[in-house]
């Protein structure tokens, strides 16, 4: 079997997605997700102009060799653009291999380690009553765990809090970035009162998560983790920019609140200290941004040696292709923790028809051969790329801050 074609499809059924489609001389095609939110065309060009020509003529079954060739052969290693491109190739090749075997991907990864994949959903509100309504909505959908984000008094726009009732995603298609404001002291005062209110309303058993979104210094993160200890969080996510791996030592010394890190990481080298010193409890990288199924499974095996669990990043800008690959991994690995799942618009699901299911808060990849996702290329072509950016964040004096 040989690869005869590799093409890139950029589509925007509500938000932008970059998909690689690899086709073999036996008529088997595989899909990979290369979406990098706000920088989609950079990855599309990397794939179309630099990677696709290298794929034609090679054996698609040589997944590890191809991965190493793309990673080492370019000389310039790592980085989100490179690793998203490599991820698309890796997942597309796994898709082809599993289809050729007539098996769903998880069977090639060792088979199922569980019957279904537990998820967490997103609840948010400008104030406590609105937040309670959002929590009840997620509970009604069956989510077994819920992430809590809320407005901060005195701030107009805060990460993870939507502006319209029933909104399911951060406003995405923007010609220029939305500017959000930030006040760390106000945040640190307010968030413990939010979790106190949520626990008083919903009791001690509901698993609760919170995302600080890289906005705190290590000592601020340590203070927040300590203040949240009475409310028994499932985790505190991205409490400080984790490229400062030493900073997590300080956080860990001062709080027993579990820590989740890594959605912006794209190689195992970002995790070495954090995992080997047990400074975190969950690794958060996505298949799409970490180089694919091959390296992410290796990361999970490394984490398992230190009793650290998986928690694959699963926002709306990971396409259904990337989400399906994640669910196959979730089902197969032993040290699964939880899967983020925000769902998709009906139009996105039409562009990417898929075998995976979401039922009563749990995911399953389905039994279709491969990853179980197809691409409606005609419908995708009807929804072309739209310029879009993630927001930026500024302190009240105008200084750019971490978003």
């Amino acid at each position: 079997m040989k690869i005869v074609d590799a093409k890139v499809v950029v589509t925007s059924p509500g938000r932008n997605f970059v998909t690689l489609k690899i086709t073999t001389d036996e008529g088997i095609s595989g899909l990979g997700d290369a979406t990098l939110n706000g920088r989609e065309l950079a990855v599309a060009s990397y794939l179309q102009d630099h990677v696709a020509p290298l794929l034609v003529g090679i054996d698609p079954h040589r997944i590890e060799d191809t991965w190493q060739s793309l990673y080492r052969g370019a000389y310039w290693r790592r980085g989100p653009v490179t690793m998203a491109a490599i991820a698309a190739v890796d997942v597309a090749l796994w898709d082809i291999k599993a289809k050729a075997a007539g098996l769903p991907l998880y069977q090639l990864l060792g088979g199922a380690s569980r019957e279904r994949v537990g998820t967490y959903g997103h609840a948010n509100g400008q104030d406590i009553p609105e937040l309670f309504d959002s929590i009840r909505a997620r509970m009604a959908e069956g989510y077994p765990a819920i992430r809590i984000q809320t407005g901060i008094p005195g701030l107009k726009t805060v990460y993870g809090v939507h502006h319209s009732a029933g909104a399911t995603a951060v406003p995405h298609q923007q010609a220029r970035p939305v500017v959000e404001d930030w006040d760390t002291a106000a945040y640190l005062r307010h968030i413990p009162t939010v979790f106190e209110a949520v626990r008083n309303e919903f009791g001690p058993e509901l698993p609760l998560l919170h995302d600080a979104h890289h906005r705190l210094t290590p000592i601020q993160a340590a203070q927040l983790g300590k203040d949240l200890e009475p409310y028994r969080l499932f985790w505190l996510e991205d409490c400080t920019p984790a490229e400062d791996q030493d900073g997590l030592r300080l956080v860990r010394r001062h709080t027993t609140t579990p820590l989740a890190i890594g959605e912006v990481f794209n190689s195992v080298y970002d995790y070495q200290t954090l995992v080997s010193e047990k400074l975190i409890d969950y690794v958060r990288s996505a298949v799409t941004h970490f180089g694919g199924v091959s390296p992410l499974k290796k990361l999970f095996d490394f984490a398992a040696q230190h009793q650290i669990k998986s928690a694959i990043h699963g926002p709306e800008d990971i396409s259904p292709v990337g989400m399906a690959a994640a669910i196959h991994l979730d089902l197969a690995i032993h040290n699964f923790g939880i899967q983020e799942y925000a769902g998709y618009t009906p139009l996105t699901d039409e562009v990417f028809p898929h075998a995976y299911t979401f039922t009563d808060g749990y995911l399953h990849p389905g039994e279709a051969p491969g990853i179980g996702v197809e691409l409606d290329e005609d419908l995708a072509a009807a929804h072309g790329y739209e310029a879009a950016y993630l927001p930026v964040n500024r302190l009240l004096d105008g200084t750019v801050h971490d978003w």
Side-chain angles (χ1 to χ4, degrees), residues 338-357:
I338 201 166
Q339 173 65 56
E340 181 179 20
Y341 184 70
Y344 297 98
T345 66
L347 180 57
T348 298
D349 286 335
E350 287 183 48
V351 172
F352 297 96
H354 51 77
Y356 70 77
T357 56

PDB file of all heavy atoms in Angstrom, residues 338-357:
ATOM      1  N   ILE A 338     -10.344  11.873  32.875  1.00  0.00           N
ATOM      2  CA  ILE A 338     -11.602  12.478  32.457  1.00  0.00           C
ATOM      3  C   ILE A 338     -11.390  13.104  31.090  1.00  0.00           C
ATOM      4  O   ILE A 338     -10.245  13.390  30.708  1.00  0.00           O
ATOM      5  CB  ILE A 338     -12.081  13.521  33.491  1.00  0.00           C
ATOM      6  CG1 ILE A 338     -13.584  13.782  33.358  1.00  0.00           C
ATOM      7  CG2 ILE A 338     -11.263  14.798  33.413  1.00  0.00           C
ATOM      8  CD1 ILE A 338     -14.185  14.525  34.555  1.00  0.00           C
ATOM      9  N   GLN A 339     -12.477  13.304  30.340  1.00  0.00           N
ATOM     10  CA  GLN A 339     -12.408  13.906  29.013  1.00  0.00           C
ATOM     11  C   GLN A 339     -13.246  15.174  28.991  1.00  0.00           C
ATOM     12  O   GLN A 339     -14.437  15.147  29.309  1.00  0.00           O
ATOM     13  CB  GLN A 339     -12.923  12.936  27.949  1.00  0.00           C
ATOM     14  CG  GLN A 339     -13.049  13.519  26.555  1.00  0.00           C
ATOM     15  CD  GLN A 339     -11.710  13.925  25.958  1.00  0.00           C
ATOM     16  OE1 GLN A 339     -10.792  13.112  25.867  1.00  0.00           O
ATOM     17  NE2 GLN A 339     -11.591  15.193  25.577  1.00  0.00           N
ATOM     18  N   GLU A 340     -12.637  16.289  28.616  1.00  0.00           N
ATOM     19  CA  GLU A 340     -13.393  17.513  28.386  1.00  0.00           C
ATOM     20  C   GLU A 340     -14.240  17.349  27.122  1.00  0.00           C
ATOM     21  O   GLU A 340     -13.757  16.868  26.101  1.00  0.00           O
ATOM     22  CB  GLU A 340     -12.437  18.686  28.211  1.00  0.00           C
ATOM     23  CG  GLU A 340     -13.123  20.026  27.975  1.00  0.00           C
ATOM     24  CD  GLU A 340     -12.156  21.174  27.834  1.00  0.00           C
ATOM     25  OE1 GLU A 340     -10.962  20.913  27.531  1.00  0.00           O
ATOM     26  OE2 GLU A 340     -12.555  22.328  28.024  1.00  0.00           O
ATOM     27  N   TYR A 341     -15.514  17.758  27.205  1.00  0.00           N
ATOM     28  CA  TYR A 341     -16.373  17.647  26.029  1.00  0.00           C
ATOM     29  C   TYR A 341     -17.375  18.791  26.029  1.00  0.00           C
ATOM     30  O   TYR A 341     -18.232  18.891  26.916  1.00  0.00           O
ATOM     31  CB  TYR A 341     -17.106  16.309  25.999  1.00  0.00           C
ATOM     32  CG  TYR A 341     -17.940  16.125  24.749  1.00  0.00           C
ATOM     33  CD1 TYR A 341     -17.326  15.943  23.515  1.00  0.00           C
ATOM     34  CD2 TYR A 341     -19.325  16.142  24.798  1.00  0.00           C
ATOM     35  CE1 TYR A 341     -18.077  15.787  22.351  1.00  0.00           C
ATOM     36  CE2 TYR A 341     -20.084  15.984  23.648  1.00  0.00           C
ATOM     37  CZ  TYR A 341     -19.455  15.807  22.426  1.00  0.00           C
ATOM     38  OH  TYR A 341     -20.204  15.664  21.282  1.00  0.00           O
ATOM     39  N   ALA A 342     -17.262  19.662  25.034  1.00  0.00           N
ATOM     40  CA  ALA A 342     -18.155  20.808  24.919  1.00  0.00           C
ATOM     41  C   ALA A 342     -19.221  20.612  23.847  1.00  0.00           C
ATOM     42  O   ALA A 342     -20.175  21.385  23.775  1.00  0.00           O
ATOM     43  CB  ALA A 342     -17.350  22.069  24.625  1.00  0.00           C
ATOM     44  N   GLY A 343     -19.069  19.596  23.007  1.00  0.00           N
ATOM     45  CA  GLY A 343     -20.023  19.360  21.935  1.00  0.00           C
ATOM     46  C   GLY A 343     -19.802  20.289  20.752  1.00  0.00           C
ATOM     47  O   GLY A 343     -18.926  21.161  20.765  1.00  0.00           O
ATOM     48  N   TYR A 344     -20.615  20.096  19.706  1.00  0.00           N
ATOM     49  CA  TYR A 344     -20.463  20.842  18.459  1.00  0.00           C
ATOM     50  C   TYR A 344     -21.821  21.328  17.966  1.00  0.00           C
ATOM     51  O   TYR A 344     -22.861  20.826  18.374  1.00  0.00           O
ATOM     52  CB  TYR A 344     -19.809  19.958  17.387  1.00  0.00           C
ATOM     53  CG  TYR A 344     -18.417  19.520  17.741  1.00  0.00           C
ATOM     54  CD1 TYR A 344     -18.185  18.265  18.301  1.00  0.00           C
ATOM     55  CD2 TYR A 344     -17.331  20.364  17.546  1.00  0.00           C
ATOM     56  CE1 TYR A 344     -16.906  17.862  18.648  1.00  0.00           C
ATOM     57  CE2 TYR A 344     -16.048  19.975  17.885  1.00  0.00           C
ATOM     58  CZ  TYR A 344     -15.836  18.721  18.438  1.00  0.00           C
ATOM     59  OH  TYR A 344     -14.572  18.344  18.795  1.00  0.00           O
ATOM     60  N   THR A 345     -21.771  22.288  17.053  1.00  0.00           N
ATOM     61  CA  THR A 345     -22.999  22.748  16.417  1.00  0.00           C
ATOM     62  C   THR A 345     -23.522  21.665  15.479  1.00  0.00           C
ATOM     63  O   THR A 345     -22.747  20.828  14.979  1.00  0.00           O
ATOM     64  CB  THR A 345     -22.747  24.034  15.621  1.00  0.00           C
ATOM     65  OG1 THR A 345     -21.864  23.732  14.529  1.00  0.00           O
ATOM     66  CG2 THR A 345     -22.130  25.120  16.491  1.00  0.00           C
ATOM     67  N   PRO A 346     -24.816  21.660  15.190  1.00  0.00           N
ATOM     68  CA  PRO A 346     -25.352  20.682  14.233  1.00  0.00           C
ATOM     69  C   PRO A 346     -24.664  20.754  12.876  1.00  0.00           C
ATOM     70  O   PRO A 346     -24.439  19.710  12.239  1.00  0.00           O
ATOM     71  CB  PRO A 346     -26.834  21.060  14.137  1.00  0.00           C
ATOM     72  CG  PRO A 346     -27.148  21.686  15.460  1.00  0.00           C
ATOM     73  CD  PRO A 346     -25.902  22.444  15.841  1.00  0.00           C
ATOM     74  N   LEU A 347     -24.286  21.954  12.428  1.00  0.00           N
ATOM     75  CA  LEU A 347     -23.617  22.077  11.136  1.00  0.00           C
ATOM     76  C   LEU A 347     -22.245  21.421  11.156  1.00  0.00           C
ATOM     77  O   LEU A 347     -21.854  20.738  10.199  1.00  0.00           O
ATOM     78  CB  LEU A 347     -23.493  23.556  10.743  1.00  0.00           C
ATOM     79  CG  LEU A 347     -22.812  23.832   9.400  1.00  0.00           C
ATOM     80  CD1 LEU A 347     -23.524  23.119   8.253  1.00  0.00           C
ATOM     81  CD2 LEU A 347     -22.749  25.339   9.135  1.00  0.00           C
ATOM     82  N   THR A 348     -21.513  21.592  12.245  1.00  0.00           N
ATOM     83  CA  THR A 348     -20.207  20.930  12.361  1.00  0.00           C
ATOM     84  C   THR A 348     -20.369  19.419  12.298  1.00  0.00           C
ATOM     85  O   THR A 348     -19.591  18.721  11.633  1.00  0.00           O
ATOM     86  CB  THR A 348     -19.507  21.345  13.662  1.00  0.00           C
ATOM     87  OG1 THR A 348     -19.268  22.751  13.653  1.00  0.00           O
ATOM     88  CG2 THR A 348     -18.172  20.611  13.824  1.00  0.00           C
ATOM     89  N   ASP A 349     -21.371  18.904  12.991  1.00  0.00           N
ATOM     90  CA  ASP A 349     -21.615  17.461  12.955  1.00  0.00           C
ATOM     91  C   ASP A 349     -22.001  16.985  11.551  1.00  0.00           C
ATOM     92  O   ASP A 349     -21.715  15.839  11.180  1.00  0.00           O
ATOM     93  CB  ASP A 349     -22.715  17.089  13.949  1.00  0.00           C
ATOM     94  CG  ASP A 349     -22.243  17.138  15.397  1.00  0.00           C
ATOM     95  OD1 ASP A 349     -21.029  16.978  15.628  1.00  0.00           O
ATOM     96  OD2 ASP A 349     -23.087  17.336  16.285  1.00  0.00           O
ATOM     97  N   GLU A 350     -22.632  17.839  10.758  1.00  0.00           N
ATOM     98  CA  GLU A 350     -22.948  17.474   9.377  1.00  0.00           C
ATOM     99  C   GLU A 350     -21.690  17.438   8.511  1.00  0.00           C
ATOM    100  O   GLU A 350     -21.544  16.560   7.650  1.00  0.00           O
ATOM    101  CB  GLU A 350     -23.940  18.472   8.780  1.00  0.00           C
ATOM    102  CG  GLU A 350     -25.363  18.354   9.304  1.00  0.00           C
ATOM    103  CD  GLU A 350     -26.289  19.334   8.602  1.00  0.00           C
ATOM    104  OE1 GLU A 350     -26.246  19.383   7.350  1.00  0.00           O
ATOM    105  OE2 GLU A 350     -27.035  20.058   9.289  1.00  0.00           O
ATOM    106  N   VAL A 351     -20.799  18.378   8.714  1.00  0.00           N
ATOM    107  CA  VAL A 351     -19.549  18.406   7.943  1.00  0.00           C
ATOM    108  C   VAL A 351     -18.680  17.221   8.306  1.00  0.00           C
ATOM    109  O   VAL A 351     -17.989  16.654   7.451  1.00  0.00           O
ATOM    110  CB  VAL A 351     -18.800  19.737   8.175  1.00  0.00           C
ATOM    111  CG1 VAL A 351     -17.410  19.704   7.529  1.00  0.00           C
ATOM    112  CG2 VAL A 351     -19.607  20.909   7.612  1.00  0.00           C
ATOM    113  N   PHE A 352     -18.713  16.822   9.598  1.00  0.00           N
ATOM    114  CA  PHE A 352     -17.892  15.709  10.081  1.00  0.00           C
ATOM    115  C   PHE A 352     -18.798  14.627  10.676  1.00  0.00           C
ATOM    116  O   PHE A 352     -18.853  14.454  11.903  1.00  0.00           O
ATOM    117  CB  PHE A 352     -16.915  16.192  11.155  1.00  0.00           C
ATOM    118  CG  PHE A 352     -15.911  17.200  10.697  1.00  0.00           C
ATOM    119  CD1 PHE A 352     -16.140  18.553  10.887  1.00  0.00           C
ATOM    120  CD2 PHE A 352     -14.726  16.805  10.090  1.00  0.00           C
ATOM    121  CE1 PHE A 352     -15.205  19.506  10.498  1.00  0.00           C
ATOM    122  CE2 PHE A 352     -13.791  17.747   9.687  1.00  0.00           C
ATOM    123  CZ  PHE A 352     -14.027  19.101   9.884  1.00  0.00           C
ATOM    124  N   PRO A 353     -19.528  13.873   9.867  1.00  0.00           N
ATOM    125  CA  PRO A 353     -20.351  12.791  10.427  1.00  0.00           C
ATOM    126  C   PRO A 353     -19.459  11.781  11.143  1.00  0.00           C
ATOM    127  O   PRO A 353     -18.369  11.449  10.674  1.00  0.00           O
ATOM    128  CB  PRO A 353     -21.025  12.182   9.191  1.00  0.00           C
ATOM    129  CG  PRO A 353     -20.207  12.632   8.022  1.00  0.00           C
ATOM    130  CD  PRO A 353     -19.606  13.946   8.397  1.00  0.00           C
ATOM    131  N   HIS A 354     -19.932  11.303  12.301  1.00  0.00           N
ATOM    132  CA  HIS A 354     -19.042  10.497  13.137  1.00  0.00           C
ATOM    133  C   HIS A 354     -19.778   9.361  13.831  1.00  0.00           C
ATOM    134  O   HIS A 354     -21.002   9.409  14.036  1.00  0.00           O
ATOM    135  CB  HIS A 354     -18.357  11.379  14.190  1.00  0.00           C
ATOM    136  CG  HIS A 354     -19.314  12.238  14.968  1.00  0.00           C
ATOM    137  ND1 HIS A 354     -20.115  11.746  15.978  1.00  0.00           N
ATOM    138  CD2 HIS A 354     -19.605  13.564  14.874  1.00  0.00           C
ATOM    139  CE1 HIS A 354     -20.836  12.730  16.480  1.00  0.00           C
ATOM    140  NE2 HIS A 354     -20.560  13.840  15.820  1.00  0.00           N
ATOM    141  N   ALA A 355     -18.978   8.363  14.211  1.00  0.00           N
ATOM    142  CA  ALA A 355     -19.526   7.180  14.878  1.00  0.00           C
ATOM    143  C   ALA A 355     -19.548   7.327  16.387  1.00  0.00           C
ATOM    144  O   ALA A 355     -20.272   6.586  17.067  1.00  0.00           O
ATOM    145  CB  ALA A 355     -18.698   5.944  14.505  1.00  0.00           C
ATOM    146  N   TYR A 356     -18.760   8.241  16.940  1.00  0.00           N
ATOM    147  CA  TYR A 356     -18.745   8.364  18.396  1.00  0.00           C
ATOM    148  C   TYR A 356     -20.076   8.926  18.892  1.00  0.00           C
ATOM    149  O   TYR A 356     -20.781   9.641  18.185  1.00  0.00           O
ATOM    150  CB  TYR A 356     -17.557   9.182  18.892  1.00  0.00           C
ATOM    151  CG  TYR A 356     -17.582  10.668  18.605  1.00  0.00           C
ATOM    152  CD1 TYR A 356     -18.371  11.550  19.339  1.00  0.00           C
ATOM    153  CD2 TYR A 356     -16.766  11.204  17.611  1.00  0.00           C
ATOM    154  CE1 TYR A 356     -18.365  12.911  19.090  1.00  0.00           C
ATOM    155  CE2 TYR A 356     -16.750  12.569  17.349  1.00  0.00           C
ATOM    156  CZ  TYR A 356     -17.556  13.416  18.101  1.00  0.00           C
ATOM    157  OH  TYR A 356     -17.552  14.758  17.844  1.00  0.00           O
ATOM    158  N   THR A 357     -20.422   8.567  20.131  1.00  0.00           N
ATOM    159  CA  THR A 357     -21.694   8.969  20.718  1.00  0.00           C
ATOM    160  C   THR A 357     -21.466   9.618  22.079  1.00  0.00           C
ATOM    161  O   THR A 357     -20.496   9.314  22.782  1.00  0.00           O
ATOM    162  CB  THR A 357     -22.625   7.764  20.895  1.00  0.00           C
ATOM    163  OG1 THR A 357     -21.950   6.762  21.678  1.00  0.00           O
ATOM    164  CG2 THR A 357     -23.008   7.171  19.544  1.00  0.00           C
TER     165      THR A 357
END
